[in-house]
């Protein structure tokens, strides 16, 4: 019999910034099936650290939608908005390692300096505000270009006053390749410095960035596998690096293809016809789950089903690797 500690601990971590849409439900279903088909647990985390966009009524509605669909979570939901003191502690541990520095660049500055590197509009940070004196734990730090002004306030022991404008806090990364095996897309190799760049762990408004909060929450919650859309594939090496610095074991990452419209655009909360408000008016929960099971390659035809019905059918090698068009 499989030991309980060997069973996977999965999670679903939506942001309550609007009603869930079909793509969110697809993510919830695949992560639920991945964990539950192997006798594991499935946690719910409400990622509401963006207080300007997150609303509690959206969170309560998405929980109702999950229950209506038959996607029951284990234990109590975790709310990121209640965990700022925890993120503060781990942020201070990174600061103590000397690899955090303030960045005053705007997005317009970054776009002016470099075209987006990835299809999602990601820009590799060019190191404009990177100080010369910070050290990357366990790695040699390349010297900053002499043509790039270094904000002296960012350098420990500097005498200049701290600029009054707000600063984001970036984590310095080494020129190092992070390799991992994705559970669906196989072997991945990402050079942190060249493909990612130093990334933000605390926003200019003082809020916590995704890349720090998600690592801390997954580790402290005992999450062993992270199932999410392939658009977040490049986040995995960033999170593995943060986990390494904080002494956490990395999770097993499994990414899946996105649901896209006929123009190849990823489904979003702007697609009102595919949000849960419209879907619940037109279809039963079993209809929606059955349709998603067919899109995931688990059934030859769309037919009504519950998540539990799909447990004996679920295998990752049945799920497509190319994005899936939803008409």
């Amino acid at each position: 019999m499989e030991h309980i500690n060997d069973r996977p601990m999965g999670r679903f971590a939506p942001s309550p910034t609007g009603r869930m849409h079909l793509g969110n439900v697809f993510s919830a279903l695949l992560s639920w099936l991945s964990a539950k088909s192997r006798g594991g647990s499935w946690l719910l985390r409400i990622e509401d650290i963006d207080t300007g966009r997150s609303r509690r009524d959206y969170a309560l509605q998405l929980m109702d939608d999950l229950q209506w669909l038959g996607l029951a979570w284990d234990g109590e939901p975790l709310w990121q908005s209640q965990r700022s003191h925890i993120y503060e502690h781990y942020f201070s541990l990174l600061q103590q390692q000397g690899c955090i520095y303030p960045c005053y660049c705007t997005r317009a500055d970054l776009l002016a300096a470099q075209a987006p590197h990835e299809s999602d509009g990601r820009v590799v940070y060019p190191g404009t505000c990177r100080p010369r004196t910070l050290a990357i734990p366990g790695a040699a730090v390349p010297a900053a270009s002499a043509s790039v002004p270094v904000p002296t306030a960012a350098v420990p022991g500097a005498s200049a006053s701290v600029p009054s404008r707000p600063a984001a806090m970036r984590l310095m990364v080494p020129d190092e390749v992070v390799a991992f095996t994705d559970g669906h897309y196989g072997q991945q190799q990402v050079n942190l410095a060249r493909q990612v760049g130093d990334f933000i762990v605390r926003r200019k408004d003082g809020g916590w960035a995704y890349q720090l909060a998600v690592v801390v929450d997954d580790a402290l919650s005992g999450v062993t596998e992270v199932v999410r859309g392939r658009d977040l594939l490049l986040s995995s090496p960033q999170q593995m690096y943060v986990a390494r610095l904080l002494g956490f074991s990395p999770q097993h990452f499994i990414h899946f293809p996105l649901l896209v419209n006929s123009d190849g655009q990823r489904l979003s909360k702007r697609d009102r016809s595919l949000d849960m408000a419209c879907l619940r008016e037109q279809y039963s929960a079993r209809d929606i789950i059955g349709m998603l099971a067919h899109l995931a390659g688990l059934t030859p035809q769309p037919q009504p089903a519950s998540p539990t019905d799909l447990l004996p059918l679920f295998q990752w090698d049945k799920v497509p690797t190319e994005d899936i068009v939803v008409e």
Side-chain angles (χ1 to χ4, degrees):
M1 182 176 178
E2 186 180 33
H3 193 275
I4 185 66
N5 291 336
D6 296 328
R7 295 175 181 172
M9 177 78 79
R11 50 79 159 170
F12 179 52
S15 298
T17 57
R19 195 70 182 265
M20 280 205 304
H21 59 77
L22 197 63
N24 300 134
V25 180
F26 190 58
S27 179
L29 177 62
L30 288 180
S31 61
W32 188 92
L33 288 171
S34 184
K36 292 293 186 178
S37 64
R38 290 175 286 143
S41 301
W42 190 66
L43 307 180
L44 176 63
R45 182 169 71 231
I46 306 299
E47 297 200 335
D48 58 343
I49 51 175
D50 186 347
T51 56
R53 299 174 60 227
S54 298
R55 286 171 38 180
R56 186 173 181 84
D57 57 324
Y58 286 147
L60 296 176
Q61 186 64 71
L62 72 84
M63 286 190 275
D64 181 73
D65 287 336
L66 290 173
Q67 291 173 330
W68 181 77
L69 289 163
L71 294 169
W73 59 89
D74 297 293
E76 293 295 320
L78 185 148
W79 299 75
Q80 284 191 332
S81 58
Q82 300 173 3
R83 297 169 63 79
S84 182
H85 62 291
I86 298 174
Y87 307 139
E88 186 78 56
H89 169 72
Y90 286 98
F91 176 74
S92 70
L93 295 183
L94 294 176
Q95 284 185 309
Q96 291 169 24
Q97 296 183 54
C99 53
I100 298 289
Y101 65 89
C103 174
Y104 305 95
C105 299
T106 65
R107 182 163 180 79
D109 294 334
L110 300 181
L111 290 174
Q114 184 180 34
H117 179 71
E118 297 291 328
S119 59
D120 62 358
R122 184 189 300 267
V123 173
V124 176
Y125 183 64
T128 307
C129 293
R130 174 191 275 212
R132 295 186 180 91
T133 59
L134 289 185
I136 301 176
V141 182
S145 169
S147 64
V148 177
V150 177
T152 55
V155 180
S159 59
S161 60
V162 176
S164 59
R165 64 188 188 279
M169 304 302 291
R170 287 189 184 271
L171 176 67
M172 185 180 289
V173 300
D175 187 1
E176 172 186 313
V177 172
V178 173
F180 65 99
T181 302
D182 182 79
H184 193 48
Y185 287 98
Q187 187 66 23
Q188 305 291 317
Q189 291 188 334
V190 175
N191 184 288
L192 288 173
R194 300 173 190 175
Q195 294 175 257
V196 177
D198 299 346
F199 56 89
I200 293 172
V201 290
R202 193 167 198 171
R203 303 193 308 265
K204 286 185 178 181
D205 63 3
W208 301 105
Y210 171 76
Q211 304 295 10
L212 175 64
V214 70
V215 170
V216 171
D217 287 339
D218 283 343
L220 298 187
S221 299
V223 171
T224 61
E225 70 172 33
V226 173
V227 175
R228 59 193 181 189
R230 65 159 187 81
D231 56 319
L232 291 172
L233 191 59
L234 199 57
S235 286
S236 300
Q238 297 177 66
Q239 292 162 18
M240 292 172 67
Y241 182 61
V242 174
R244 185 207 310 176
L245 294 180
L246 295 177
F248 297 139
S249 298
Q251 286 71 39
H252 178 50
F253 294 100
I254 309 174
H255 294 81
F256 55 81
L258 305 178
L259 298 188
V260 298
N261 61 25
S262 56
D263 294 325
Q265 298 174 324
R266 180 180 59 183
L267 299 186
S268 71
K269 290 170 183 175
R270 294 186 297 271
D271 296 303
R272 296 295 184 184
S273 63
L274 295 177
D275 75 16
M276 284 300 295
C278 293
L279 292 173
R280 285 180 69 159
E281 290 179 357
Q282 300 178 58
Y283 305 101
S284 70
R286 289 176 59 84
D287 287 337
I288 296 171
I289 295 297
M291 175 176 59
L292 290 175
H294 174 62
L295 293 176
L298 306 183
T299 58
Q301 298 295 331
Q303 54 190 19
S306 70
T308 303
D309 294 335
L310 301 176
L311 288 173
L313 304 177
F314 182 75
Q315 294 178 16
W316 274 110
D317 59 8
K318 294 180 180 179
V319 179
T321 54
E322 298 296 324
D323 288 347
I324 303 165
V325 177
V326 178
E327 299 293 346

